[in-house]
Amino acid sequence: DDLQALLRRRFPTLESSKATAGHWARTWAAAALAASCWFGWLRFDPLAVALLPVAQWLLAAHTVHEATHGALSSDPRVNFWAQFTAHPLFFNVFVWVPQHLVSHHQHTNDPARDVDLHHFAPARLARAQQKPVSAAPPQTAFNHAWTFLWKGCLTTVGTCFLQPMRTLLDKPTPTFDENLTPVPSAVSKRTLALSMVPSFIVLLYPPLALAASAAHVPVAAFLAAWLWPWVGASLIWTVMTQTSHVQRSTQPEDADGECWTARQIGTSLDYSTGDPLVTALTAGLNAQGLHHAMPSVASCHFPELYEEYAAICRKHGVEPRTSRNIGTASREMVEWLFDVNSGAEAESNELVEQAI
């Protein structure tokens, strides 16, 4: 009730909670930068290739996350088309919508219901997740945090290709009996296949250009244009998205007996919350608890809302999980991953389960 009162007071109209003029100005500037980098990528310009993942992220950060939550604009048509700035490098929108809005936002950090916890399998991202299977003694077992780290360099290959292809080919998710990342039933396979065309163009253009080119372009330039957009986008995507939930402090103790909103806040990590620049660069993911509690509000409003939001949380006994900045949050994430995937941690959890 207190959070709703805050929203009514700060945003008297629906439009006032959406993107501001400043947010739209930054969006168009990011779009221009991204377009410039894509044109340079077609010519294998080294600077354009190097900047491409960052430029595309800046555009997506100002559009796609807001749009999928209906937070960018009060016009649903704007939100629908703005979602596709996630293409071709970050994820397929039709796959993203059910797994993010339905699975992740409803059941954050619940291994039985949050699909996001299984993208880096067999690495564990949550304490309640099934421990890695290993015949080796706990002290010598392979730590699957390393699996997370190498998969983190290729996450967008999965979100742009592997996940939608499972729907197209009617294949289950590996190690599961069904496809955990389906598309909405209203999306036909033809529409899904068409949505993948831009990603396939980015994947196939450099090797085809290398095979057909008579120009004197170094092979290294072709390789950079082929590999770096995916690796660069994956690194950005992994750091931006995983630091907000894969933390020691965001593990729920009782998923059934807790207030839903309190659980959303308790399973999310915030950092640099009063900094408008960080908020713009991270798509508002730096105020993840606020976003999960009030997902229909555009992120450009987060810095001015955060202190009052946090005070309401504390008034009701809910302490927002915080870190100083994205650097400390990332370090804490990696430390937690190595702990939760260690043999000792797995053995300790097994003993607890047996005792219960």
Side-chain angles (χ1 to χ4, degrees), residues 8 14-15 41 48 60 62 79 92 110 209 222 271 282 290-291 344:
R8 293 191 188 101
L14 179 64
E15 290 75 13
W41 175 81
H62 282 78
N79 289 325
N92 185 283
D110 179 353
F222 283 102
Y271 55 87
T282 63
L290 189 158
H291 165 66

Side-chain angles (χ1 to χ4, degrees), residues 70-290:
L72 184 65
S73 171
S74 58
D75 187 337
R77 294 168 298 180
V78 173
N79 289 325
F80 178 80
W81 290 110
Q83 294 176 113
F84 291 96
T85 55
H87 298 228
L89 281 184
F90 286 101
F91 58 83
N92 185 283
V93 163
F94 295 127
V95 178
W96 163 266
V97 166
Q99 75 179 43
H100 184 72
L101 298 177
V102 179
S103 175
H104 172 68
H105 263 265
Q106 299 295 324
H107 308 286
T108 313
N109 277 5
D110 179 353
R113 299 178 179 90
D114 186 354
V115 175
D116 284 2
L117 293 176
H118 302 285
H119 294 324
F120 295 87
R124 298 170 73 202
L125 307 191
R127 181 180 286 113
Q129 209 164 353
Q130 185 178 0
K131 62 182 179 293
V133 177
S134 175
Q139 63 272 21
T140 60
F142 177 75
N143 192 307
H144 283 289
W146 292 109
T147 303
F148 174 93
L149 294 179
W150 76 257
K151 282 190 172 184
C153 299
L154 297 170
T155 47
T156 60
V157 175
T159 53
C160 291
F161 295 106
L162 301 182
Q163 291 177 5
M165 286 299 294
R166 288 176 194 135
T167 293
L168 290 176
L169 300 176
D170 297 315
K171 297 292 185 181
T173 302
T175 74
F176 289 90
D177 296 328
E178 58 187 315
N179 179 9
L180 298 186
T181 54
V183 302
S185 57
V187 179
S188 67
K189 286 189 176 183
R190 179 178 180 273
T191 299
L192 180 60
L194 287 173
S195 74
M196 295 181 67
V197 169
S199 295
F200 274 112
I201 290 174
V202 176
L203 181 69
L204 298 176
Y205 174 75
L208 291 177
L210 177 60
S213 177
H216 298 291
V217 179
V219 173
F222 283 102
L223 290 175
W226 184 37
L227 298 175
W228 173 244
W230 300 106
V231 174
S234 295
L235 290 172
I236 293 171
W237 182 248
T238 301
V239 170
M240 293 296 180
T241 60
Q242 301 308 302
T243 53
S244 298
H245 297 290
V246 184
Q247 300 283 346
R248 189 184 307 276
S249 63
T250 60
Q251 305 304 306
E253 297 297 332
D254 182 4
D256 297 320
E258 191 175 22
C259 161
W260 183 85
T261 305
R263 188 177 186 278
Q264 291 291 304
I265 295 166
T267 53
S268 304
L269 184 79
D270 305 330
Y271 55 87
S272 303
T273 52
D275 192 328
L277 178 60
V278 173
T279 301
L281 293 176
T282 63
L285 300 180
N286 66 314
Q288 190 70 202
L290 189 158

